[in-house]
Amino acid sequence: MSIAIEDNLNAEELQAVDAFRQALILDELLPSKHDDHHMMLRLLFIFLSLMFRMTCSAFMKNTSLT
């Protein structure tokens, strides 16, 4: 028995994931067991979330709301 999984991927997402994957490969930071599109998508989401939090934190430290 097999189950078909439909991926709704767009070109922009594919390019972003591939660029992230290539950067990891160049720095030898990507183990082969994690080299698939869905794992890269998860890692990219985590990376961007952390960058967003760091940016917001820095902004809040430099902004006075009083």
Side-chain angles (χ1 to χ4, degrees):
M1 181 169 145
S2 65
I3 299 172
I5 298 174
E6 183 179 326
D7 281 333
N8 295 324
L9 306 175
N10 62 38
E12 186 176 323
E13 178 184 291
L14 289 171
Q15 288 176 340
V17 169
D18 191 52
F20 183 63
R21 180 180 170 271
Q22 292 300 324
L24 291 175
I25 289 172
L26 286 174
D27 290 337
E28 299 179 1
L29 296 173
L30 181 60
S32 60
K33 67 181 180 179
H34 297 307
D35 190 4
D36 72 40
H37 178 79
H38 295 286
M39 180 62 75
M40 291 292 96
L41 194 56
R42 282 183 236 137
L43 290 173
L44 184 57
F45 178 76
I46 292 166
F47 176 75
L48 293 174
S49 296
L50 291 172
M51 294 301 295
F52 179 75
R53 288 180 186 178
M54 290 171 51
T55 302
C56 288
S57 177
F59 177 76
M60 293 303 288
K61 285 181 183 178
N62 293 327
T63 304
S64 174
L65 298 177
T66 58

